[in-house]
Amino acid sequence: MKSNTVKLGVDRAPQRSLLKALGLTDRELSKPFIGVVNSFTELVPGHMHLRQVVDAVKAGIRDNGGTPFEFSTVAVCDGIAMGHEGMHYSLASRELIADSVEVMARGHALDALVLIPSCDKVVPGMLMAAMRLNLPAIVVSGGPMLPGRFEGSNVTLSTVFEGVGQVHAGKKDEAWLQELEANACPTCGSCAGMFTANSMNCLTEALGMALPGNGTIPAVYSQRLMLAKETGYQIMELYRQNIRPRDIVTKAALQNGVALDMALGCSTNTILHLPAIAGEGDLEWELSLVNDISEKTPQICKLSPASETPLAALHEAGGVSAVLKELLDANLIDGTSMTVSGVTMAERLKNAKVLDHEIIRPQDNPFSQRGGLRVLFGNLAPEGAVIKQGALESQDFVFEGSAKVYDGEVPAAEAIRNQEIKPGDVVVIRYEGPKGGPGMREMLGPTATLAGMGLDADVALITDGRFSGASRGLSIGHVSPEAALGGDIALLKDGDKIRIDIGKGLLEWEVTPEEKAKRQEELAAQSLKSDNFNPELRKGYLGRYSYFVQSASKGAALRHVKEE
């Protein structure tokens, strides 16, 4: 028992004195110490109910012989942070979350952890900490939000962002938008589509790090509290059996995660988070793995924003377990991987079944033959770029257009709102990468505005930043190397011809070797004047983050400090 370090023996009388100051009895001190990591904050609607979830987890821990200790982490709501300085901090918060869990767990010699995230960067941040610490650990999220209803249809947060575009295009007025915003987010929970938060919570099941139902049981259902109690109970079983995250999240489990990702059409942000999680466990990760698995894994479920179907429908159709069972039966995942249930994936899925074949299609009638994501390579992205091909009408789409180049999201968003972007344009937003941003801001505002204007199929957008899971259309992110690291995206000029071939996985620009060399010399000679290079964004935490962060192709994870 690791916690014996702080509670056994004569020399630990001072520590026991402090623990008793918390009101702990000798009986409670004799039990394993279980950290309950609560990411509750009054700023995030996805987390507003987590105190209730935490209480249920604690009840499960106590019921099975443990002593729970609750502590917190930061959490950024991407929707609220979108479109202003706050978005610089969203992805960067992932590393803070992992670090804070490490500090608390090591500082207090905890024996095991229950990790309670809900939104965006909190889920991968906690999984990174679990892999780093390798203490018995299990995840239970706050669950997804139910969709709103407006004008007879399901609506979500992304509907509101696209509504902004409709107002700018003169299709709707502000009174209509105000009514929409009042109905789009009706409950607590992570936003009601296959956006980043729900993508990661679903993938946590595929990785084996959460009990069945974690990704899809709606936040407001009592089943969510039952799941939390069972999770608290199960962490004690993991502790007694000494089953740890690195026993569960193996290379095979990561491949299972990618396969589920392809089958569901998840957010492109998963391709940042999975390699970061792998890195904490010293597991190899190659970006090309995504394409290898996508080529053989059909997309059998298509949810908002790629369709009008909300995430709650997946729960009613059998949940993640039903999708995984379809993949297992088709030999597309490894059933021997261990799970936090204490059994293999195959054993856990034994009784899973599809309850609605309109929501989860059979293998012989998929929404598309290839998976939901694709990594593009080419002379504009030699280290890769990512697109959600599952949100396109055709996965063999070819687009050729002329570049309109913007140094940062702000001028690009202004140009879109002013209707300066026309069909056939390729909007290029650069210096928004992990280092250049810093923080790799999401671009839901620009993509949603284009969609609202009806231009999402006629205009491409490429960036070294990233996109919200709510984005759709020809939105290509994570272009690597990024502009701030000298990537060729920094050399683009207005009018350059760019070709996107989804079927062949290519992202290229037409340029002669002589012209490219000339532009490289020009770039080296000029000083960057973008607003994104405001010195204020290089101070404090963002400054440290920018110094240590790696390429998006490596998950935008921080490089490790090497011994001298």
Side-chain angles (χ1 to χ4, degrees), residues 112-123:
L113 297 168
V114 178
L115 305 164
I116 307 175
S118 194
C119 295
D120 289 70
K121 312 309 162 296
V122 189
V123 188

Side-chain angles (χ1 to χ4, degrees), residues 275-342:
I277 294 165
E280 292 290 352
D282 297 322
L283 296 170
E284 292 183 6
W285 174 274
E286 294 292 338
L287 202 53
S288 58
L289 173 71
V290 175
N291 286 347
D292 293 341
I293 294 177
S294 181
E295 283 296 320
K296 62 183 181 181
T297 308
Q299 184 174 350
I300 58 175
C301 190
K302 198 166 190 175
L303 304 171
S304 173
S307 75
E308 299 300 318
T309 306
L311 187 81
L314 176 58
H315 176 63
E316 303 300 331
V320 170
S321 290
V323 178
L324 288 172
K325 184 63 162 60
E326 288 289 303
L327 297 178
L328 179 67
D329 289 346
N331 294 316
L332 294 173
I333 63 170
D334 186 337
T336 67
S337 295
M338 179 55 64
T339 72
V340 291
S341 299

Side-chain angles (χ1 to χ4, degrees), residues 215-503:
T216 60
I217 298 173
V220 294
Y221 282 16
S222 295
Q223 282 179 279
R224 177 61 52 178
L225 298 180
M226 297 176 192
L227 178 68
K229 288 178 184 176
E230 290 299 322
T231 298
Y233 191 94
Q234 185 61 19
I235 189 60
M236 298 309 302
E237 298 300 308
L238 293 175
Y239 168 75
R240 293 184 183 109
Q241 296 173 47
N242 196 30
I243 298 176
R244 298 170 181 258
R246 295 192 186 191
D247 300 322
I248 296 170
V249 185
T250 61
K251 185 175 182 180
L254 283 168
Q255 292 175 338
N256 287 350
V258 175
L260 179 70
D261 196 330
M262 298 305 110
L264 292 178
C266 291
S267 164
T268 53
N269 283 314
T270 60
I271 308 305
L272 287 174
H273 301 321
L274 288 174
I277 294 165
E280 292 290 352
D282 297 322
L283 296 170
E284 292 183 6
W285 174 274
E286 294 292 338
L287 202 53
S288 58
L289 173 71
V290 175
N291 286 347
D292 293 341
I293 294 177
S294 181
E295 283 296 320
K296 62 183 181 181
T297 308
Q299 184 174 350
I300 58 175
C301 190
K302 198 166 190 175
L303 304 171
S304 173
S307 75
E308 299 300 318
T309 306
L311 187 81
L314 176 58
H315 176 63
E316 303 300 331
V320 170
S321 290
V323 178
L324 288 172
K325 184 63 162 60
E326 288 289 303
L327 297 178
L328 179 67
D329 289 346
N331 294 316
L332 294 173
I333 63 170
D334 186 337
T336 67
S337 295
M338 179 55 64
T339 72
V340 291
S341 299
V343 298
T344 66
M345 183 63 74
E347 292 172 301
R348 187 159 93 171
L349 298 176
K350 184 177 180 181
N351 297 317
K353 59 182 179 180
V354 176
L355 303 177
D356 187 337
H357 288 285
E358 293 298 318
I359 302 300
I360 304 173
R361 289 189 177 182
Q363 296 285 329
D364 59 2
N365 182 35
F367 287 98
S368 58
Q369 291 295 332
R370 292 201 297 264
L373 300 182
R374 188 168 183 84
V375 179
L376 308 180
F377 295 94
N379 62 359
L380 194 54
E383 293 180 7
V386 183
I387 187 170
K388 186 190 290 187
Q389 64 179 359
L392 301 173
E393 291 187 6
S394 170
Q395 291 191 357
D396 292 311
F397 198 87
V398 176
F399 186 92
E400 295 180 336
S402 299
K404 285 194 175 178
V405 184
Y406 301 91
D407 289 350
E409 177 189 7
V410 174
E414 183 177 353
I416 293 169
R417 288 193 297 268
N418 292 338
Q419 302 187 47
E420 297 172 16
I421 305 303
K422 307 299 179 184
D425 287 343
V426 179
V427 179
V428 178
I429 304 178
R430 62 189 180 192
Y431 296 110
E432 288 286 7
K435 182 177 290 290
M440 205 177 184
R441 288 193 287 185
E442 287 188 342
M443 306 291 171
L444 178 57
T447 61
T449 303
L450 286 170
M453 291 177 168
L455 292 173
D456 52 306
D458 301 313
V459 171
L461 196 157
I462 66 174
T463 179
D464 52 8
R466 60 194 179 90
F467 295 109
S468 164
S471 295
R472 58 190 176 95
L474 279 168
S475 303
I476 300 169
H478 311 188
V479 172
S480 300
E482 63 175 289
L485 290 176
D488 283 359
I489 190 173
L491 305 178
L492 291 176
K493 292 183 178 182
D494 287 351
D496 283 351
K497 300 300 180 183
I498 295 176
R499 189 172 193 272
I500 302 163
D501 189 327
I502 305 299

